[in-house]
Amino acid sequence: MKMNGAQLFVKALKEEGVDTLFAYPGGTAIDMFDALYGVEGIDVVLPRHEQALVHEADGYARSTGKVGVCLVTSGPGATNLVTGIATANYDSVPLVCFTGQVPTYLIGNDAFQEVDIVGIVRSICKYAVTVRDRKDLGRIIKEAFYIARTGKPGPVLVDIPKDIQLEMGSDEYPSTVSIRGYKPSEGVHVGQVRRAMAMLGKAKHPVFLIGGGVNISHAQKELQELAERTGVPVITTIMGKGAIATNHPLYIGNIGIHGNYASNKAISECDVLFSIGTRFNDRITGKISEFAKKAKIIHVDIDSASISRNIVVDIPIVADAKTAIQTMLENITKPEIGDWVKEILEWKAAYPIQMENYKGMTPEKIIRKINELFPSSIVVTDVGQNQLWTTQYLELDQNRQLLTSGGLGTMGYGFPAAIGAKLGNPDKDVICISGDGGMQMNIQEMATAVALELPVIICVLNNGYLGNVRQWQEMFLDGRYSSTCLKYRRRCGRDCADPDKCCPPYTPDYVKLAESYDAKGIRVTKLEGIEAAFQEARSNQAGPTLIEFIIEREANVLPIVPGGKALSDMIMDC
Amino acid sequence: MKKRWICLFVENQIGVLTKIAGLFSSKAYNIDSITVGETEDQTISRMTIGLTSDDQTFEQVKKQLNRSVEVIKVVDYTEIPTHMKEILFVKISSCNREDKEEIFRIANVFGCTVTDYDKNTVLLECTQTEGKNNDIIRLLQSCFPNRIEVVRGGNVAIEAVSRKDNS
């Protein structure tokens, strides 16, 4: 049978099991939307901005493990995807983004809404391609899904010119894939695993350093068994948090520039650092030459290019985290580590992460209340202090998951990603934790959440500042708050005369803003109001609830390792 | 830092050269030279890439190339016996009779061909190693300052058939 390209596109989505499509129409995508009209089994979601659209697909993908699928038009529709694609790329999130394109005979003519989107995204995605021949369409879509979800997952972009969408051709959608330049690594080198386990077996002060790769490969159960059978303490990166329950006796905490004292100290003191699924990003290592100086380093990663790039490794293992851990369990060794865990736990007890220096309603109190009230939930953060506090205080286990833009650090990610997560997990509580800065970057998605009747709870931690940058200005730039005050109005003058004494009222009024979208808005100013607000939000199942928490204006995220310093140089207090 | 050579097999498609070049520039690796051409299989292009780097960077370059979907095979030509040649054209202008005689002698000694000439101008074609072409350019520059025009084709390389060591 013959069908046109747009119909084959829809058939491909069905064959790939796509149940949710994040899509914004336009001139060169209109035929694909027409083919989608009335199709059963695919929920076509209309966001209010294409950047939010990708984050929604991203949140959906991270929380379900499925591929997030996007459809937008050419030109501005396509360029609005860029930030979201880069966000997904850094955090290894499987996405397939379809972009409409001007007809092939107009490509290169500077036609209306023509951009070379493949050229633009080339360095920020796993693969991007323009379909130039109708007969290649099915194969290319098949390959796109395969590339996105296998190996180290990532975003793939498929650009489909309008004439290809309309051209009649075969209705065949291939069932197999063979790409000669793409063979994701399968299995693991058992000899390397044995060498690594032998090295671990001789260690006196070993630690596991766990990155996002363990969460992506769903190896949480295996990791817990590995930790318990070896007795080796577990430290995570931000992306690795939740790979083992945060209340597990062997879990120490996060490392990195906002990691806890015990974790950073343990990394600095360990003799074998067994890392799985992390790329040793600079936010994790601090000053490279001082990182884990006493340790032999074992590194498991699915991406060979991540190995010995930032940190020179003694034993490299290229493998999927789950496969590697399963093989480790088959070759288990148990090192004699004496009081090592006890020692680390003493550091942890002596220098806990806390915000006791601040009075009243601190982010710590808000997040601990979420721990208490929402045991089965997906918590999605934006970027900045709201994110760092969440990664410090949120407790995770197999029932509570954290989504955050760890690699790219994209403000505006949180709220749309929460919408995507809720669409993929209607039975879970989905809570977005944002700041007052990032919330404004995709605030228009309130309309999407209201339209879809999604009971997402949005916590805006409002301190009236771009708080993370402000904190750096306070600590490292003599308090020169350059462009970070969100209460600023021109009448304040160039220099802030008296912070927080005679400030103009904050804009927008988040409660009224939520109400204008037909959502519920609640403002909380006191510690005692936190629980009631969450209960009220939870009882509102008709749509989103925004809770604005007015928090201390100049609260800081501590500890902190200043830029360029070693992990051991962390500042505990200021 | 050391001179390295990579032989790269890629999909013969629009945008693949940009992808490879972009990969080098986005990671701040420097390409010394790059040549591209179709192979006996029309769907595959072959590149010969020369770069100068330390060991660690070179390892990264190879890994980054390998992880690109469009790259079919990466072969390190740095340490293995290869045949490697570069085509070079040099045009020397404002030549008198003596100049021409000197150019012909140089061509003879260096194994270049006089491809074309007219009353005042001579065109030399040299298919040599990159190093030898450098020598020829240097010599012609010193003999005929400001009168030469140079175009270089970049290196192409193929694995040796009989030689087993890289001498």
Side-chain angles (χ1 to χ4, degrees), chain B residues 111-167:
Chain B
C112 313
T113 318
V114 177
T115 302
D116 194 9
Y117 75 103
D118 68 5
K119 195 159 166 252
N120 300 318
T121 309
V122 181
L123 177 64
L124 285 184
E125 178 189 324
C126 322
T127 307
Q128 307 283 3
T129 61
E130 189 183 52
K132 201 159 182 194
N133 280 344
N134 288 342
D135 294 342
I136 294 165
I137 293 168
R138 217 174 296 122
L139 176 64
L140 291 170
Q141 187 76 272
S142 68
C143 294
F144 311 101
N146 303 321
R147 283 156 58 195
I148 68 170
E149 180 188 344
V150 169
V151 57
R152 311 182 70 153
N155 289 273
V156 292
I158 195 160
E159 250 177 87
V161 179
S162 57
R163 254 185 308 146
K164 297 299 172 212
D165 61 3
N166 190 26
S167 53

Side-chain angles (χ1 to χ4, degrees), chain A residues 389-409:
Chain A
W389 282 317
T390 305
T391 59
Q392 289 182 329
Y393 300 111
L394 189 72
E395 303 289 346
L396 299 174
D397 55 24
Q398 71 273 21
N399 296 316
R400 193 185 295 117
Q401 192 188 358
L402 170 68
L403 312 184
T404 194
S405 167
L408 196 67

Side-chain angles (χ1 to χ4, degrees), chain A residues 86-105:
Chain A
T87 304
N89 194 44
Y90 269 91
D91 289 345
S92 309
V93 179
L95 297 183
V96 175
C97 303
F98 293 96
T99 51
Q101 180 57 280
V102 301
T104 48
Y105 53 84

Side-chain angles (χ1 to χ4, degrees), chain A residues 52-128:
Chain A
L53 180 152
V54 200
H55 295 326
E56 282 160 23
D58 174 312
Y60 173 88
R62 290 191 207 217
S63 62
T64 60
K66 295 189 240 176
V67 177
V69 188
C70 307
L71 169 62
V72 298
T73 194
S74 61
T79 54
N80 277 340
L81 298 183
V82 169
T83 302
I85 290 176
T87 304
N89 194 44
Y90 269 91
D91 289 345
S92 309
V93 179
L95 297 183
V96 175
C97 303
F98 293 96
T99 51
Q101 180 57 280
V102 301
T104 48
Y105 53 84
L106 282 181
I107 289 178
N109 281 23
D110 289 353
F112 177 66
Q113 294 194 330
E114 178 195 354
V115 296
D116 173 17
I117 190 63
V118 168
I120 289 171
V121 300
R122 195 168 274 134
S123 65
I124 52 161
C125 69
K126 196 170 172 187
Y127 183 58

Side-chain angles (χ1 to χ4, degrees), chain A residues 156-178:
Chain A
V156 174
L157 185 137
V158 181
D159 191 37
I160 312 180
K162 193 174 168 74
D163 53 334
I164 305 268
Q165 296 169 33
L166 291 172
E167 190 177 327
M168 297 301 286
S170 162
D171 67 342
E172 230 169 276
Y173 186 67
S175 53
T176 57
V177 176
S178 169

Side-chain angles (χ1 to χ4, degrees), chain A residues 118-119 122-123 125-129 132 139 143 147 152 179-182 303-312, chain B residues 10-16 18-20 22 26-27 29 41 43-44 56 60 63-64 66-72:
Chain A
V118 168
R122 195 168 274 134
S123 65
C125 69
K126 196 170 172 187
Y127 183 58
V129 63
R132 290 174 191 277
R139 175 183 58 81
E143 290 176 354
I147 291 169
K152 180 175 180 156
I179 310 166
R180 56 189 170 188
Y182 179 74
D303 179 12
S304 67
S306 287
I307 292 176
S308 286
R309 177 165 53 176
N310 301 334
I311 296 288
V312 179
Chain B
V10 299
E11 297 289 345
N12 183 10
Q13 285 167 2
I14 293 172
V16 175
T18 320
K19 166 101 187 185
I20 302 301
S26 69
K27 308 281 179 194
Y29 311 140
D41 178 344
T43 66
I44 297 177
Q56 205 186 338
Q60 264 301 310
K63 287 174 177 174
Q64 293 289 345
N66 255 319
R67 74 205 284 262
S68 299
V69 173
E70 297 89 342
V71 170
I72 300 163

Side-chain angles (χ1 to χ4, degrees), chain A residues 351-523:
Chain A
Y351 300 100
I353 291 187
Q354 41 81 16
M355 298 190 77
E356 295 303 321
N357 291 352
Y358 301 103
K359 291 184 182 58
M361 188 175 63
T362 60
E364 177 186 1
K365 299 264 166 46
I366 297 165
I367 295 162
R368 290 202 191 281
K369 190 55 82 177
I370 292 173
N371 290 334
E372 185 189 318
L373 295 177
F374 300 95
S376 171
S377 56
I378 299 168
V379 177
V380 189
T381 78
D382 207 73
V383 164
Q385 287 183 313
N386 64 84
Q387 171 187 39
L388 300 166
W389 282 317
T390 305
T391 59
Q392 289 182 329
Y393 300 111
L394 189 72
E395 303 289 346
L396 299 174
D397 55 24
Q398 71 273 21
N399 296 316
R400 193 185 295 117
Q401 192 188 358
L402 170 68
L403 312 184
T404 194
S405 167
L408 196 67
T410 305
M411 282 175 73
Y413 169 82
F415 179 38
I419 291 175
K422 184 70 186 174
L423 281 164
N425 301 269
D427 299 332
K428 282 210 162 191
D429 291 316
V430 174
I431 299 162
C432 165
I433 300 180
S434 185
D436 54 307
M439 192 61 207
Q440 287 264 69
M441 286 199 176
N442 270 314
I443 187 71
Q444 78 287 340
E445 293 312 298
M446 276 303 225
T448 313
V450 168
L452 297 172
E453 299 168 350
L454 293 176
V456 175
I457 300 173
I458 306 133
C459 307
V460 177
L461 308 184
N462 189 345
N463 56 13
Y465 279 115
L466 300 173
N468 204 30
V469 181
R470 185 214 57 76
Q471 175 177 344
W472 283 59
Q473 289 169 336
E474 178 194 331
M475 296 181 75
F476 311 124
L477 295 164
D478 300 326
R480 292 148 58 91
Y481 290 175
S482 181
S483 297
T484 42
C485 181
L486 296 182
K487 284 194 167 182
Y488 170 84
R489 293 201 193 176
R490 199 150 271 215
R491 66 171 181 259
C492 298
R494 268 180 63 92
D495 300 312
C496 180
D498 198 358
D500 217 19
K501 291 291 184 301
C502 51
C503 296
Y506 187 85
T507 180
D509 179 325
Y510 273 108
V511 172
K512 282 189 192 158
L513 185 65
E515 286 165 1
S516 80
Y517 278 105
D518 200 21
K520 187 185 263 300
I522 304 169
R523 181 171 294 121

